[in-house]
Amino acid sequence: MESAFNYTESELVQGLRAKDQKVFGYLYDRYSPALYGVALKVLNDEGNASDVLQEVFVKIWRNIDRYDDSKGRLFTWMLNITRNTAIDSLRSKAHKMDQKIQDIGDDVHLYTGNLTVHPSVDHLGLSKVLEKLTKEQRIIIDLAYYKGCTQEEISKVLEIPLGTVKTRMRNAIIQLRNLLKLV
Amino acid sequence: MDASRFISSGLVEAYVSKLATPAETQELERGMVVYPEVAAAVDDCQHDMEQYVSLYAVKPPAYLRQQILSTVETEEEARHSNAYIEETIAEEIYTRPVRVHGIWRWTAAASIILLAGSVFLGYTFYNRYNDYKIRYENLLTQNNTLTANTDLYRTRMEEMSKSLHIMKDPAMKMIKMPGTQLFPDAMATVYWNASSKEVFVLVNNLPAPAADKQYQLWAIVDGKPVDMGMLEPGNATPELLQKMKSISAAEMFAITLEKKGGSATPTSDQMYVAGKAG
């Protein structure tokens, strides 16, 4: 459903501010897979992720005036909305801490097997990157970004000293950045 | 903190991966305002993080597109026809205080207590359900591991009983091949069936070969070496026999270490074991 022409980011923002529904449709086609991917990774459930995606696009439509392009790109803003909405939904469904930890536990469990990628996510690029990251590097990025874990929680789950969490994250991201150059 | 400290502190990575605490986030955002190179580093790193996140992109279910577009469309129509205002007024009507008397008051109280009770029960059972779910999954994993191990042992057992069956044949001749002077610790055995001419070899003790090397069995017939085949690498289990090429007559058997895939003639200084067939 790719539109026949492309908008620049500032054209997109302008169109959204003018409440142009055609621009909104284009925005959906271009960004919904990435945003849905985030919701799916956070919630691990297609139904919940669909609900979150709907909420996210309505928020984008209503709040585009609050987007400030001097503070970052539109995509960054939309990713933040998606991540926050999805994590809020995750927490409202499992308000108890141990439930959250259990989810993480399940995730850690997934990582111990073969590279478990969501069945519909099967790009060559992703598996190439995931293969080259160590298990701990993958977990530390995903716990922080997709599960909203604090440094304390990560130190507990990975059984590493609190003081080293940031160093490990730095190394993981540096490794990730090197790999992305190769994809 | 100066710019280079910001960049090497791990704060940039913590910020884009959302690991940073609110205080750390504020600190970095101040740094981004002061130092353009910090802002550039964050932007770079942000870009990579987004690229990583985009790798997980999944096309959402097709029906969602229409659903979302029409939600927005309805909202726009409502905004234009001022339905928003009506809604607000309608809400105000319902929030006017209403006095309730007598039995209804008690009924309401009772239903609230009942509701609270059922919420509590629901919550308890949900937790219990989760607990059992975890235990069940753990058991399932254990069970899978056990099944896999059993299969492994069964295969080994079958291989061993096959080897034993071959050795039990009364026509089987056992030829011990002790280590040569160069390799006194080495040891292997040839089992040679005089009636069927089949030859099997058993490794008692041979050092593991390098990745590009392989052991080769030879028979000496009329003083000349005859190739009897390659020993499978990694088959160092002393209980298992490996079938080699058949031969009707031989004076000696020997094993040499050759390049992978074997040689046409044996390398004599790499002879590990040898034994007379007579």
Side-chain angles (χ1 to χ4, degrees):
Chain A
M1 274 195 263
E2 206 72 11
S3 303
F5 51 95
N6 287 321
Y7 292 95
T8 65
E9 221 181 81
S10 65
E11 282 168 344
L12 269 180
V13 175
Q14 263 174 20
L16 292 174
R17 289 202 172 125
K19 302 286 176 200
D20 182 338
Q21 292 182 30
K22 216 174 70 190
V23 170
F24 186 71
Y26 172 85
L27 186 85
Y28 181 87
D29 293 340
R30 178 155 158 203
Y31 294 109
S32 63
L35 304 186
Y36 184 63
V38 171
L40 203 56
K41 193 95 166 61
V42 171
L43 291 160
N44 232 333
D45 178 286
E46 286 173 12
N48 291 342
S50 300
D51 291 346
V52 163
L53 189 70
Q54 167 143 5
E55 202 180 327
V56 164
F57 272 98
V58 171
K59 278 183 184 168
I60 292 171
W61 178 255
R62 283 186 193 156
N63 299 320
I64 188 66
D65 287 327
R66 285 198 221 158
Y67 165 65
D68 177 357
D69 60 358
S70 68
K71 284 197 178 150
R73 274 167 290 122
L74 179 67
F75 185 45
T76 313
W77 183 69
M78 293 194 301
L79 275 180
N80 284 342
I81 293 180
T82 310
R83 177 184 175 268
N84 295 342
T85 309
I87 289 178
D88 282 349
S89 160
L90 184 72
R91 287 187 182 146
S92 72
K93 285 192 172 55
H95 27 195
K96 266 181 47 188
M97 180 63 196
D98 50 331
Q99 176 65 30
K100 189 170 145 197
I101 293 289
Q102 200 241 306
D103 279 351
I104 296 160
D106 282 356
D107 260 34
V108 173
H109 192 72
L110 281 181
Y111 285 113
T112 56
N114 296 328
L115 291 181
T116 314
V117 173
H118 194 273
S120 44
V121 191
D122 198 20
H123 328 252
L124 207 58
L126 181 63
S127 12
K128 250 196 212 158
V129 169
L130 292 187
E131 260 169 33
K132 298 270 166 55
L133 287 174
T134 67
K135 189 176 119 196
E136 197 198 75
Q137 287 171 333
R138 270 183 279 144
I139 294 175
I140 202 168
I141 297 173
D142 290 357
L143 285 184
Y145 192 83
Y146 289 111
K147 299 295 172 188
C149 281
T150 62
Q151 297 177 24
E152 285 81 8
E153 286 165 353
I154 289 178
S155 122
K156 234 179 269 167
V157 172
L158 293 182
E159 293 170 342
I160 55 176
L162 181 59
T164 63
V165 175
K166 261 190 290 176
T167 321
R168 304 272 184 117
M169 177 63 91
R170 176 165 151 84
N171 294 338
I173 298 231
I174 288 173
Q175 169 76 350
L176 175 66
R177 302 180 69 181
N178 290 334
L179 292 173
L180 286 171
K181 280 181 199 136
L182 304 177
V183 176
Chain B
M1 231 194 265
D2 63 18
S4 59
R5 278 285 305 282
F6 264 118
I7 290 166
S8 61
S9 66
L11 217 53
V12 174
E13 288 80 6
Y15 178 75
V16 302
S17 63
K18 312 289 180 187
L19 179 70
T21 63
E24 288 169 339
T25 302
Q26 271 185 6
E27 190 183 1
L28 184 71
E29 280 173 349
R30 275 198 301 270
M32 286 161 71
V33 174
V34 180
Y35 306 107
E37 58 267 52
V38 174
V42 170
D43 196 51
D44 254 18
C45 198
Q46 185 83 265
H47 219 279
D48 288 323
M49 188 70 203
E50 283 166 11
Q51 205 184 331
Y52 171 65
V53 169
S54 300
L55 288 176
Y56 281 105
V58 180
K59 224 177 163 69
Y63 72 89
L64 260 184
R65 185 181 198 272
Q66 198 42 52
Q67 194 174 310
I68 290 174
L69 292 189
S70 44
T71 307
V72 162
E73 202 175 326
T74 321
E75 202 174 299
E76 275 316 280
E77 281 164 12
R79 215 162 56 104
H80 285 300
S81 61
N82 292 335
Y84 265 15
I85 300 164
E86 279 165 34
E87 230 173 70
T88 334
I89 295 165
E91 264 171 41
E92 273 169 20
I93 294 167
Y94 285 111
T95 49
R96 263 191 312 190
V98 184
R99 291 174 63 80
V100 182
H101 281 292
I103 183 125
W104 292 113
R105 210 175 266 243
W106 290 108
T107 315
S111 28
I112 289 168
I113 290 165
L114 276 175
L115 180 68
S118 70
V119 166
F120 174 73
L121 280 178
Y123 183 70
T124 317
F125 284 124
Y126 177 70
N127 280 341
R128 208 171 289 175
Y129 159 75
N130 269 334
D131 183 38
Y132 284 126
K133 195 176 121 199
I134 300 164
R135 287 194 210 179
Y136 167 72
E137 279 164 2
N138 286 343
L139 280 174
L140 209 63
T141 319
Q142 271 176 22
N143 188 27
N144 284 343
T145 322
L146 280 176
T147 317
N149 280 342
T150 312
D151 284 348
L152 198 75
Y153 290 132
R154 186 183 302 141
T155 319
R156 248 178 85 76
M157 273 288 286
E158 280 166 5
E159 282 173 351
M160 280 170 67
S161 77
K162 228 190 282 168
S163 295
L164 213 63
H165 185 74
I166 295 167
M167 287 188 206
K168 269 194 334 208
D169 193 322
M172 193 61 81
K173 235 162 97 181
M174 183 174 118
I175 300 149
K176 272 202 176 136
M177 298 187 290
T180 56
Q181 274 180 337
L182 286 168
F183 308 98
D185 290 339
M187 174 67 142
T189 313
V190 161
Y191 289 86
W192 187 16
N193 191 315
S195 56
S196 72
K197 314 300 175 203
E198 284 173 308
V199 173
F200 300 87
V201 72
L202 184 142
V203 173
N204 303 85
N205 180 33
L206 280 178
D212 57 339
K213 299 274 185 176
Q214 208 174 354
Y215 288 111
Q216 189 167 7
L217 179 70
W218 304 91
I220 313 297
V221 186
D222 298 329
K224 288 199 181 91
V226 176
D227 166 43
M228 294 293 289
M230 307 306 298
L231 269 69
E232 273 166 35
N235 189 4
T237 328
E239 295 90 355
L240 295 186
L241 287 178
Q242 190 194 331
K243 190 170 182 341
M244 308 303 286
K245 292 180 185 169
S246 300
I247 197 159
S248 52
E251 294 127 37
M252 262 184 89
F253 289 98
I255 291 177
T256 60
L257 187 63
E258 303 292 340
K259 64 178 191 289
K260 208 161 191 166
S263 310
T265 53
T267 315
S268 52
D269 64 344
Q270 287 297 313
M271 186 187 287
Y272 275 69
V273 296
K276 278 208 175 85

